[in-house]
């Protein structure tokens, strides 16, 4: 009996070590996924602020009109979000929370305002006490430019609950601890026990690793004293750090439970032979933990794929120009928005109107009269939703760079219809520009135009044409609608 039990225990310990390695890798993949979700949310906030910063009402000091536009931006974040406008000395010229500008206090974080004015670039703050909210906040700071000079600093203070919601939604199970730290190592979103720990500094072990490197996996003790296997990744966008850890006890407990089961089964299997004993011990030892692993892998497959894509992007564009990086980040952002929309619908598909609205939201927010959308409600499969999202993004990008949205007077009309041509329903979508700069056909097609044509042909099995008419560019995209859309 003893040799059989020893043999079975050896198998269990071997599998435990392998499962521990798998858990370590899973923690790193999880924290990368959370970092990607956080960066996507911050890019969405930043994009909205950058659109506000380009408005004539703000650059001309028409704060009454700007107040209405800022309210449209704030509607998506709830009542606790605040937009502020300040000069270089930190004097508040505008607050979305009040129209009494005469009694507005000075900004508390003047250092970050000075950084915006000196660099002319977007900045992300550490945790500090806001002058208006009178409680800890983090902010996104965007320069307002006029004649290539920084005129104002426009600041958005999002509700802290947004970040708490991110860590709560991304938590795989109760055994996990997830935290978002600012650039000084102070946490502003955490689970578990957010009320008792938000505002505290990271544990000494984690703080030391955060100072030494941007990404690492190592054992730590949580603020509650729980031993964890922890991974941390610093965001190159915000300078913030995401850390996640799984309790080591959650790995050891199944080991002891498995050992007990294996010992009991070993005594019984001694009666029926060594071969059957080995088979049963291995199956029981690995069954439960393998099942949990498969479930977690399934839940995180989309997030892990986007994390890998983010890593590839970082390596690929290391030596690229800023314009090239921004172009690719815009395409990646459009892809992420399509995935967010599909995730909300639990990957059952989406409506074409919702897909177009997500992609064109910055333009609709800034100047709704310049972008007109017409068409019936058309349900789309996940495949069609993703590809059409990328195509509309490229059309809007080209219009912003070269077409009707590159000046102050141009307009864009996007309409679509569903045709019944005998072989199933066909979607025809037409993008028409007018009032932009004079149009001439390019000698060589750009990458965006080729992407539109190839996506329609290769991924949708349809066709995309581009007509360079004197009054403006016209894109026509046709594709068959999936039976399940």
């Amino acid at each position: 009996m003893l040799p059989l039990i020893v043999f079975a225990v050896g198998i269990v310990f071997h599998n435990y070590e392998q499962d521990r390695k798998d858990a370590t890798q899973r923690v790193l993949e999880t924290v990368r996924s959370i970092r990607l979700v956080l960066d996507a949310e911050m890019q969405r906030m930043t994009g909205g602020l950058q659109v506000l910063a380009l408005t004539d009402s703000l650059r001309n000091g028409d704060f009454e009109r700007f107040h209405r536009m800022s309210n449209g931006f704030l509607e998506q974040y709830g009542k606790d979000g605040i937009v502020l406008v300040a000069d270089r000395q930190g004097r508040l010229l505008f607050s979305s929370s009040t129209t009494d500008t005469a009694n507005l206090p000075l900004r508390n974080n003047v250092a970050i305002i000075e950084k915006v004015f000196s660099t002319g670039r977007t900045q992300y703050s550490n945790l500090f006490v806001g002058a208006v909210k009178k409680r800890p906040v983090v902010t996104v700071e965007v320069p307002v430019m006029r004649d290539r000079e920084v005129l104002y600093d426009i600041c958005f203070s999002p509700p802290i609950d947004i970040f708490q919601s991110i860590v709560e939604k991304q938590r795989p199970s109760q055994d996990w601890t997830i935290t978002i730290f600012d650039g000084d190592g102070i946490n502003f979103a955490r689970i578990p026990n957010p009320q008792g720990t938000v505002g505290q500094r990271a544990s000494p072990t984690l703080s030391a690793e955060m100072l030494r490197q941007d990404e690492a996996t190592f054992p730590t003790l949580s603020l509650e004293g729980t031993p964890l296997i922890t991974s941390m990744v610093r965001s190159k966008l915000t300078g913030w750090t995401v850390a996640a850890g799984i309790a080591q006890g959650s790995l050891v407990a199944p080991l002891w439970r498995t050992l007990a089961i294996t010992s009991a089964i070993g005594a019984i299997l001694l009666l029926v032979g060594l071969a059957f004993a080995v088979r049963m011990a291995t199956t029981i030892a690995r069954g439960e933990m393998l099942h949990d692993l498969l479930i977690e892998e399934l839940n995180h497959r989309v997030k892990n794929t986007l994390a890998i894509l983010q890593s590839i992007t970082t390596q690929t564009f290391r030596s690229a120009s800023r314009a090239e990086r921004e172009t690719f980040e815009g395409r990646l952002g459009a892809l992420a928005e399509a995935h967010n929309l599909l995730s909300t619908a639990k990957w059952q598909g989406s409506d074409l109107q919702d897909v177009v609205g997500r992609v064109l939201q910055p333009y609709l927010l800034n100047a709704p009269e310049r972008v007109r959308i017409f068409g019936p409600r058309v349900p789309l499969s996940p495949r069609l939703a993703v590809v059409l999202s990328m195509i509309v993004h490229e059309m809007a990008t080209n219009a912003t760079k070269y077409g009707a949205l590159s000046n102050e007077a141009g307009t864009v009309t996007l309409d679509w219809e569903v045709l019944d041509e005998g072989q199933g329903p066909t979607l025809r979508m037409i993008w028409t520009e007018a009032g932009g700069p004079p149009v001439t056909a390019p000698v060589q097609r750009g990458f965006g135009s080729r992407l539109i044509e190839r996506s329609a042909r290769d991924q949708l099995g349809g066709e995309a044409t581009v007509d360079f008419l004197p009054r403006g560019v016209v894109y026509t995209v046709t594709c068959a609608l999936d039976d399940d859309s």
Side-chain angles (χ1 to χ4, degrees):
M1 179 177 177
L2 183 59
L4 179 60
I5 294 177
V6 170
F7 182 69
V9 168
I11 293 175
V12 172
F13 271 105
H14 172 77
N15 291 335
Y16 164 72
E17 290 297 327
Q18 183 60 47
D19 290 334
R20 187 181 177 89
K21 292 179 182 178
D22 293 342
T24 300
Q25 181 62 29
R26 193 163 68 251
V27 171
L28 181 58
E29 291 173 353
T30 298
V31 80
R32 286 172 176 170
S33 298
I34 298 171
R35 190 284 311 268
L36 183 62
V37 172
L38 176 63
D39 281 358
E41 179 62 34
M42 297 310 297
Q43 285 173 335
R44 188 164 72 94
M45 289 183 193
T46 304
L49 276 187
Q50 289 171 339
V51 170
L52 289 178
L54 293 173
T55 58
D56 291 336
S57 58
L58 177 57
R59 289 191 288 188
N60 295 333
D62 185 356
F63 293 116
E64 181 177 352
R65 183 183 174 195
F66 179 70
H67 195 281
R68 295 192 297 272
M69 302 187 70
S70 68
N71 284 342
F73 169 77
L74 289 170
E75 284 178 357
Q76 57 191 313
Y77 295 105
K79 62 181 181 179
D80 288 334
I82 293 181
V83 172
L84 303 173
V85 177
D87 62 14
R88 191 163 193 162
Q89 287 71 42
R91 291 188 294 265
L92 285 176
L93 309 175
F94 169 82
S95 171
S96 61
S97 64
T98 180
T99 57
D100 183 14
T101 57
N103 295 317
L104 289 175
L106 287 173
R107 281 283 307 273
N108 278 356
N109 196 349
V110 179
I112 197 169
I113 298 177
E114 176 59 32
K115 198 169 184 180
V116 171
F117 273 85
S118 61
T119 64
R121 295 181 180 178
T122 299
Q123 304 293 329
Y124 301 89
S125 80
N126 293 327
L127 193 68
F128 69 98
V129 176
V132 176
K133 287 188 175 182
K134 305 297 184 184
R135 59 178 180 268
V137 296
V138 292
T139 59
V140 183
E141 315 272 345
V142 171
V144 179
M145 309 295 293
R146 186 172 66 188
D147 299 328
R148 297 185 179 181
E149 296 290 334
V150 180
L151 181 63
Y152 302 125
D153 168 272
I154 180 171
C155 157
F156 175 50
S157 170
I160 291 293
D161 290 345
I162 289 179
F163 307 105
Q164 188 63 33
S165 176
I166 289 175
V167 298
E168 289 175 355
K169 290 180 179 178
Q170 299 298 316
R171 190 185 193 190
S173 69
Q174 296 298 315
D175 298 322
W176 288 68
T177 297
I178 301 175
T179 311
I180 302 176
F181 296 97
D182 67 11
D184 288 336
I186 305 299
N187 90 69
F188 58 90
R190 186 181 189 268
I191 193 168
N193 190 24
Q195 293 82 8
T197 57
V198 167
Q200 295 187 25
R201 187 171 296 277
S203 65
T205 305
L206 183 54
S207 294
E209 292 295 336
M210 289 167 61
L211 291 174
R212 284 204 298 265
Q213 47 195 335
D214 292 337
E215 179 176 295
T217 301
F218 45 89
T220 63
L221 281 177
S222 71
L223 295 176
E224 293 84 5
T226 303
L228 303 174
I229 297 175
T230 298
S231 288
M232 49 78 59
V233 177
R234 181 176 291 108
S235 167
K236 296 185 182 301
L237 174 70
T238 61
W240 300 341
T241 299
V242 177
I246 184 172
Q248 296 192 40
S250 66
L251 302 177
V252 175
L255 169 66
W256 291 112
R257 183 170 63 252
T258 302
L259 284 175
I261 295 173
T262 302
S263 299
I265 291 177
I268 299 172
L269 293 182
L270 186 61
L271 303 176
V272 294
L274 179 62
F276 186 69
V278 172
R279 181 180 178 85
M280 287 298 296
T282 304
T283 301
I284 294 174
R286 290 196 59 82
E288 183 177 353
M289 297 187 75
L290 180 59
H291 175 267
D292 293 342
L293 176 63
L294 291 175
I295 292 297
E296 289 189 16
E297 289 297 329
L298 179 61
N299 288 338
H300 287 82
R301 62 177 182 171
V302 173
K303 299 170 189 173
N304 291 346
T305 299
L306 289 176
I308 293 171
L309 180 58
Q310 182 75 12
S311 178
I312 293 173
T313 302
T314 301
Q315 296 297 321
T316 303
F317 287 95
R318 178 174 296 173
S319 59
S321 68
R322 182 177 180 181
E324 291 172 329
R325 290 196 303 271
E326 290 177 349
T327 299
F328 188 84
E329 287 170 359
R331 291 169 180 147
L332 186 58
L335 179 62
E337 282 296 326
H339 277 274
N340 286 340
L341 186 60
L342 291 171
S343 296
T344 302
K346 298 183 179 179
W347 284 87
Q348 298 299 310
S350 186
D351 189 272
L352 178 57
Q353 222 165 36
D354 295 332
V355 171
V356 170
R358 282 266 184 152
V359 176
L360 299 182
Q361 183 182 17
Y363 310 96
L364 293 170
L365 183 64
N366 185 25
E369 71 281 357
R370 298 183 62 190
V371 181
R372 295 186 286 271
I373 301 172
F374 305 96
R377 301 197 72 84
V378 181
L380 301 176
S381 68
R383 179 179 66 88
L384 285 177
V386 171
V387 178
L388 289 176
S389 174
M390 297 296 293
I391 288 176
V392 174
H393 169 75
E394 290 301 325
M395 293 176 179
T397 299
N398 287 342
T400 303
K401 288 183 177 179
Y402 317 112
L405 299 180
S406 65
N407 62 13
E408 298 295 327
T411 62
V412 169
T413 301
L414 176 60
D415 59 70
W416 61 85
E417 60 182 345
V418 178
L419 308 174
D420 190 358
E421 299 182 346
Q423 297 181 346
T426 299
L427 173 67
R428 181 167 65 188
M429 189 166 63
I430 301 175
W431 173 284
T432 305
E433 299 183 18
V439 176
T440 57
V443 176
Q444 185 176 2
R445 294 290 180 87
F447 180 82
S449 297
R450 296 199 306 273
L451 177 63
I452 293 171
E453 295 172 352
R454 291 177 181 175
S455 296
R457 182 185 67 236
D458 299 338
Q459 300 183 50
L460 300 180
E463 182 182 16
T465 61
V466 186
D467 296 315
F468 296 95
L469 304 180
R471 66 177 182 273
V473 175
V474 177
Y475 294 90
T476 303
V477 178
T478 59
C479 67
L481 292 172
D482 291 341
D483 293 337
D484 58 350
S485 64

